[in-house]
Amino acid sequence: MEENKNIEIEQVNYGEDAIRHLSDVEHIRTRPGMYIGRLDDGSHAEDGIYVLLKETIDNSIDEFRMNAGKRIEIDIDDHLRVSVRDYGRGIPQGKLVEAVSQLNTGGKYDSKAFKKSVGMNGVGIKAVNFLSSRFEARSYRDGQVRRVTFERGIMTSDTTEPSQDETGTYIYFEPDDTLFKNYSFHDDFVETMLRNYTYLNSGLTIMYNGRRILSRNGLEDLLKDRMTNDPLYPIIHLQGEDIEIALTHANQYGEEYYSFVNGQHTIQGGTHQSAFKEHIARTIKEFFGKYEYGDIRNGLVAAIAINVEEPMFESQTKIKLGSTQMAPNGESINKYVGDFVKQQVDNYLHIHGDVAESIETKVKESERERKELAGVTKKARERAKKANLHNKKLRDCRIHYSDVKNDRKEESSIFITEGDSASGSITKVRNVDTQAVFSLRGKPLNTFKLTKKVVYDNEEFNLLQAALDIEDGLDTLRYNKVIVATDADVDGMHIRLLLITFFLKFFPELVKKGHVYVLQTPLFRVRNRRTKIKNKKLLAEADEKSGKKTDFVTRYCYSEEERAQAIRELGPDPEITRFKGLGEISPEEFAVFIGPDIRMEQVTLHKTDEVQKLLAYYMGDNTMERQNFIIDNLVIEEDVVGSDE
């Protein structure tokens, strides 16, 4: 028998001192992700600072929905400091401190006071308070104002004085920059959030930094503002007591849905969206007496909003509805949505024969293309299935976006790279839990003028579609972020455009739902020996970041301006390297670029981005028009001081 080795194991003293009680403030500040999701800098719409903003506004929206106050004023100073003023009833002043600082305290537990509210658990505004470096709440009520201030959840003042201001509540907060490092509120994300509120609350006026936002036609306005292709027929807009739907078809592939519960944008859908998808297809099929669900829904653009008492969401951030029942009568959401869609849409189609005709024309086109693809798709699926068994193009990760119950599913991503050297470098240093790599072979096809048959005929596209698992829509999408990682040169830019064209053409919802990104990789590495650097603070920061005393202080630069700044910071005669391709970047350095400090640019679409015209201009046959545009807009920059070229 092998002799036992003496292994010294540190014994942990497990006594009474090991048992800790965390205060409400400590608990939320220690585990903020449980309440607001990701602690990033605001460059993505799902970042936690927008959850703080939403939680604050939700309370004002709930006041409006109780017929108390039709105007909300929101100001964000310098993209950093937020104030929200409503003209509702004002928080009862005797409970103001408790309402903003004690968990499980609020007025929304009583359905008589707040029917069909968004927030029901007494956490939202407290999380805003505890995660802010400075927080202030005022209640204007009964001819006086009570004002309380906090710093990181600890109260610093409490005053009450006479006031002639209108009744209502004022909240001010500054997200704690020790938690949300280098954060900034982006206007695009904020305006989208605010417009969603107005679509769902007819009669509400929101003033954002002095600009008026309102909607007169609800979800019909939402579709008009969001659609990037023209509708094939006038938008069908139908409303009931606690339900509203809007729908049309467009000349595009796939399905596009926007869903809401009690004014909350359920980005990931849920039981109400699933019910709508099922019943809209069934109703149209029964109206015509034929056609398949997939053909009916292809090209469909739709929105649904419902009101539910005490909704149950799948997470604190409330982006997916988990409720199956419609309180208070206990009727299922599926039946409630189904009954409304069946009756109202069926009636509409019988009355509006021209709309029914347009729908059938679109459905027939989808049916014809599906049948043409039938033989091709079967063979392509078989090829993809065989390839996936020994797929050298895909280095998969362990956690996927489709892993519904996994807390880290939002972190899952896939890098689409070109060439073995780049994919090899990323593969060596990626996080195998959350980062997958897909390697392209050469430049992909320009798919602008092609039909969906190319997705199955082309080996690269067929395997990419299979890797993402999006053939039948985004419900099974395996990665939250699809990251295009190409060289920062002309060829790399061309590959980016070709891939984005592919996604916009055949899977537009992947882009519209914010899943597609472009990896930003550095153009330069500027470094200098520590012996040449006199700035002690710079040295200390470099050592802290690397965890050890380094011989070199390094700056990775993503632009000429950053390179010039690095040269100024790092002293005389720094070593400058120009990266000409991803394959030239070592795996060790890639670990920096795809780690916590990863830089990505989200591919977004707006109403003004008319997809067909956009693709026709950049990817069509108008070569001379594009060439003239480049010549007319070419800017030759002067060389940067300190350049090694």
Side-chain angles (χ1 to χ4, degrees), residues 593-612:
F593 312 143
I594 66 172
D597 296 329
I598 187 172
R599 290 201 198 183
M600 295 182 295
E601 185 176 348
Q602 191 175 41
V603 180
T604 58
L605 279 178
H606 303 282
K607 173 64 178 178
T608 53
D609 300 328
E610 297 177 313
V611 173
Q612 292 304 316

Side-chain angles (χ1 to χ4, degrees), residues 316-333:
Q316 170 63 22
T317 52
K318 307 184 185 87
I319 57 176
K320 186 173 185 179
L321 181 67
S323 302
T324 57
Q325 303 302 116
M326 288 282 291
N329 61 9
E331 186 177 48
S332 74
I333 285 178

Side-chain angles (χ1 to χ4, degrees), residues 298-546:
N298 185 43
L300 181 67
V301 184
I304 177 172
I306 64 171
N307 295 324
V308 183
E309 286 194 19
E310 301 184 7
M312 299 296 294
F313 296 96
E314 292 193 0
S315 70
Q316 170 63 22
T317 52
K318 307 184 185 87
I319 57 176
K320 186 173 185 179
L321 181 67
S323 302
T324 57
Q325 303 302 116
M326 288 282 291
N329 61 9
E331 186 177 48
S332 74
I333 285 178
N334 187 282
K335 184 177 187 304
Y336 180 80
V337 173
D339 288 348
F340 179 83
V341 170
K342 167 64 178 173
Q343 180 180 3
Q344 298 298 323
V345 175
D346 186 70
N347 287 347
Y348 188 96
L349 295 179
H350 275 96
I351 295 170
H352 299 85
D354 55 336
V355 172
E357 185 178 340
S358 296
I359 291 176
E360 186 167 28
T361 299
K362 171 61 177 173
V363 174
K364 284 181 176 179
E365 289 176 359
S366 297
E367 180 185 59
R368 183 169 57 252
E369 184 171 2
R370 175 180 56 80
K371 288 180 177 179
E372 289 174 355
L373 286 173
V376 179
T377 55
K378 183 178 180 181
K379 293 177 181 177
R381 288 191 192 109
E382 290 173 354
R383 290 200 313 272
K385 186 175 181 180
K386 290 178 181 178
N388 281 334
L389 296 175
H390 307 284
N391 194 348
K392 295 181 180 180
K393 299 181 70 60
L394 174 66
R395 278 81 167 182
D396 207 356
C397 54
R398 298 190 180 106
I399 297 171
H400 299 110
Y401 190 55
S402 50
D403 298 340
V404 177
K405 295 183 179 180
N406 195 305
D407 292 339
R408 298 181 63 195
K409 69 187 186 73
E410 301 281 341
E411 300 175 36
S412 64
S413 59
I414 183 169
F415 295 97
I416 303 176
T417 68
E418 190 273 321
D420 294 335
S421 56
S423 62
S425 292
I426 294 179
T427 300
K428 288 177 182 176
V429 295
R430 68 189 172 117
N431 183 323
V432 295
D433 286 333
T434 60
Q435 294 177 324
V437 182
F438 184 90
S439 178
L440 291 169
R441 184 179 64 246
K443 286 187 179 181
L445 289 176
N446 180 353
T447 57
F448 170 61
K449 288 189 172 182
L450 304 179
T451 67
K452 202 166 187 177
K453 186 172 182 289
V454 72
V455 180
Y456 299 95
D457 280 344
N458 182 273
E459 195 72 13
E460 301 290 305
F461 290 148
N462 183 31
L463 292 176
L464 178 57
Q465 174 185 253
L468 299 178
D469 199 5
I470 53 176
E471 181 180 9
D472 297 319
L474 299 192
D475 289 344
T476 52
L477 176 65
R478 286 166 59 83
Y479 312 98
N480 184 29
K481 292 183 176 63
V482 179
I483 306 169
V484 180
T486 60
D487 292 346
D489 59 13
V490 174
D491 282 340
M493 180 63 71
H494 193 201
I495 294 172
R496 288 183 196 178
L497 290 174
L498 291 168
L499 283 171
I500 292 171
T501 299
F502 170 71
F503 290 133
L504 286 175
K505 176 79 175 179
F506 301 115
F507 306 100
E509 196 180 12
L510 193 69
V511 177
K512 291 186 177 183
K513 292 295 185 182
H515 293 292
V516 180
Y517 295 79
V518 172
L519 178 67
Q520 301 298 312
T521 52
L523 297 173
F524 306 98
R525 179 185 61 211
V526 180
R527 67 179 186 175
N528 213 345
R529 291 189 175 276
R530 68 182 301 121
T531 54
K532 293 185 178 182
I533 299 174
K534 296 180 180 179
N535 189 328
K536 292 183 179 180
K537 183 180 179 181
L538 203 66
L539 293 172
E541 290 174 352
D543 294 344
E544 181 181 0
K545 191 167 186 178
S546 64

Side-chain angles (χ1 to χ4, degrees), residues 47 98 114 124 175 180 214 231 257 268 281 333 342 529 560-561 573 576 584 588 627:
D47 288 351
E98 291 89 336
F114 282 93
F180 307 94
L214 58 92
Y257 299 100
Q268 293 183 8
I333 285 178
K342 167 64 178 173
R529 291 189 175 276
E560 293 282 1
E561 291 76 15
D573 303 321
I576 303 172
E584 296 181 0
E588 292 74 19
Q627 182 176 313

Side-chain angles (χ1 to χ4, degrees), residues 85 93 138-146 160-168:
R85 172 68 155 102
Q93 292 181 349
R138 301 178 201 163
S139 173
Y140 296 89
R141 189 169 170 144
D142 303 324
Q144 61 183 17
V145 56
R146 185 177 182 186
T160 301
E161 57 189 37
S163 173
Q164 299 303 312
D165 287 357
E166 289 184 63
T167 298

Side-chain angles (χ1 to χ4, degrees), residues 615-631:
L615 293 180
Y617 183 83
Y618 287 105
M619 308 306 290
D621 296 331
N622 56 327
T623 308
M624 187 55 65
E625 185 181 358
R626 285 198 303 271
Q627 182 176 313
N628 291 335
F629 175 83
I630 293 170
I631 293 171

